[in-house]
Amino acid sequence: MMDFLELSPEVKDALKNSQPVVALESTIISHGMPYPKNFETALTLEKEVRAHGAIPATIAVIGGKIKIGLSESDIEYLSKAKGILKLSRMDLPYAVSKKLDGATTVAATMMCANFGGVKVFATGGVGGVHKGVNESFDISADLVELSQTPILVVSAGVKSILDIPKTLEVLETLGVTVVGYKTQDFPSFYSRKSGSKLYMHVDDPYEAAALYKTKRKMGIKGGVLVANPISEAHEIPNGVINEAIERALKESKIKKITGKETTPFLLSKIVELLPQALEANIYLAMSNAALAAEIAKNL
Ligand code: PSU
Ligand code: MN
């Protein structure tokens, strides 16, 4: 695996000296937000990790190399370039083999973080079970990855572009340890609550780190998903956001959007219909980066 990895000198040093490191994904940059907000956000998230005493490691594949820790010019490239692949578990060897450029989803970022020895990863929202799954069979590979790769992922729950109760059912079936951060209600990304109950919660970064360490020590495979609700000041009421989501879903059906394109299409539609959604997305991602850094310090 080492032949395919390129750790930045800073990340390599930090890992060697057992300093806290937080992985960040790149699909949010190339397929999750418009330019220049994507570029600014990627830099802001790195800054937020540093402000909380950890080293950021944004992950992507560039020219077939799995890079752990990107330069500012790498991030700028991923923000602007057309044709950056969206890489999940299935596509990772393809991009490496053909020396292509690709942004990593939650699934692929978890894999690469694990190859490099990074244990904590902050994202906005993880993928899940799509609405209309009985027709489309569309279930994100992120869920399977959480069940097999030992990374602690901090996310603001999942968006209600997805079927949240079914997403939680699949996580349960797969044995993923899902805990609320100071909440007993699974957050729905833009809103603090989804109405779906969580049965486990942690109340501080220490407890989150202890849970992850215990799972590893017990030899149980898979990750831990820490669901961190957006702050009250930045949340969008479910009623407001759901209207935009419903319209985006309708349009994706009319345009027959399927597969990998579904999530990026819905994200850009929602922001088009409700620009406030982009700001909320940035704030929650920052909050997740900060919490991930605090957890990493406790490991
Ligand atoms: N949800 C978001 N923003 C995102 C994604 C999901 O709110 O940027 C991205 C993440 O990278 C996630 C991926 O891993 O989409 C899931 O894609 P799919 O549904 O095709 O598995
Ligand atoms: Mn899918």
Side-chain angles (χ1 to χ4, degrees):
M1 199 59 220
M2 276 312 181
D3 291 347
F4 305 107
L5 292 184
E6 201 177 291
L7 277 76
S8 74
E10 188 189 26
V11 170
K12 199 185 261 176
D13 256 24
L15 291 171
K16 206 170 68 197
N17 301 321
S18 298
Q19 285 176 312
V21 178
V22 171
L24 297 164
E25 62 151 306
S26 45
T27 292
I28 189 171
I29 305 174
S30 297
H31 303 282
M33 284 182 192
Y35 182 81
K37 279 284 176 190
N38 55 353
F39 178 53
E40 291 162 18
T41 302
L43 298 184
T44 303
L45 294 182
E46 292 205 340
K47 233 187 254 165
E48 196 64 16
V49 169
R50 287 186 200 282
H52 287 263
I55 302 295
T58 306
I59 293 176
V61 176
I62 297 183
K65 274 273 173 202
I66 297 176
K67 286 200 166 192
I68 303 186
L70 299 181
S71 66
E72 190 169 321
S73 67
D74 288 334
I75 293 178
E76 189 170 15
Y77 172 66
L78 291 171
S79 306
K80 282 183 180 167
K82 300 276 168 254
I84 303 285
L85 301 172
K86 178 180 158 194
L87 307 177
S88 190
R89 172 172 274 267
M90 67 183 279
D91 335 74
L92 195 59
Y94 179 80
V96 169
S97 164
K98 287 205 163 191
K99 304 198 170 15
L100 303 173
D101 301 324
T104 49
T105 61
V106 168
T109 305
M110 286 178 74
M111 292 172 70
C112 297
N114 189 43
F115 296 147
V118 180
K119 299 182 173 68
V120 179
F121 162 28
T123 183
V126 295
V129 179
H130 281 265
K131 285 181 172 155
V133 63
N134 46 343
E135 281 296 322
S136 67
F137 267 52
D138 193 349
I139 301 175
S140 176
D142 292 354
L143 301 184
V144 179
E145 204 60 46
L146 280 162
S147 75
Q148 55 187 46
T149 302
I151 302 288
L152 183 146
V153 181
V154 180
S155 120
V158 303
K159 284 202 175 74
S160 38
I161 59 173
L162 301 171
D163 187 321
I164 293 179
K166 286 195 180 74
T167 299
L168 287 169
E169 287 296 343
V170 170
L171 285 165
E172 181 191 339
T173 303
L174 293 172
V176 178
T177 304
V178 183
V179 289
Y181 188 73
K182 298 183 180 169
T183 183
Q184 313 225 44
D185 194 302
F186 191 66
S188 58
F189 199 87
Y190 299 113
S191 313
R192 291 176 60 79
K193 294 185 170 181
S194 65
S196 285
K197 236 183 138 22
L198 276 178
Y199 298 96
M200 301 180 274
H201 61 99
V202 291
D203 290 319
D204 55 45
Y206 172 82
E207 272 193 353
L211 171 62
Y212 175 78
K213 273 197 274 195
T214 304
K215 185 164 181 173
R216 300 282 317 247
K217 274 194 196 146
M218 290 172 78
I220 299 173
K221 76 170 183 169
V224 170
L225 181 60
V226 176
N228 181 33
I230 186 171
S231 71
E232 264 167 61
H234 298 112
E235 80 168 326
I236 305 177
N238 268 311
V240 175
I241 191 68
N242 284 343
E243 199 188 306
I245 288 173
E246 285 312 318
R247 284 178 60 188
L249 284 167
K250 241 181 230 157
E251 195 162 332
S252 79
K253 233 181 234 162
I254 292 166
K255 293 201 160 140
K256 299 199 163 57
I257 309 285
T258 56
K260 270 181 184 300
E261 272 91 58
T262 303
T263 301
F265 177 86
L266 293 172
L267 297 182
S268 73
K269 261 292 145 215
I270 291 165
V271 168
E272 203 183 296
L273 295 166
L274 195 71
Q276 180 197 0
L278 184 54
E279 292 312 310
N281 192 347
I282 294 167
Y283 280 116
L284 68 84
M286 284 172 68
S287 155
N288 293 344
L291 176 57
E294 296 296 338
I295 296 171
K297 282 196 286 187
N298 277 281
L299 286 176

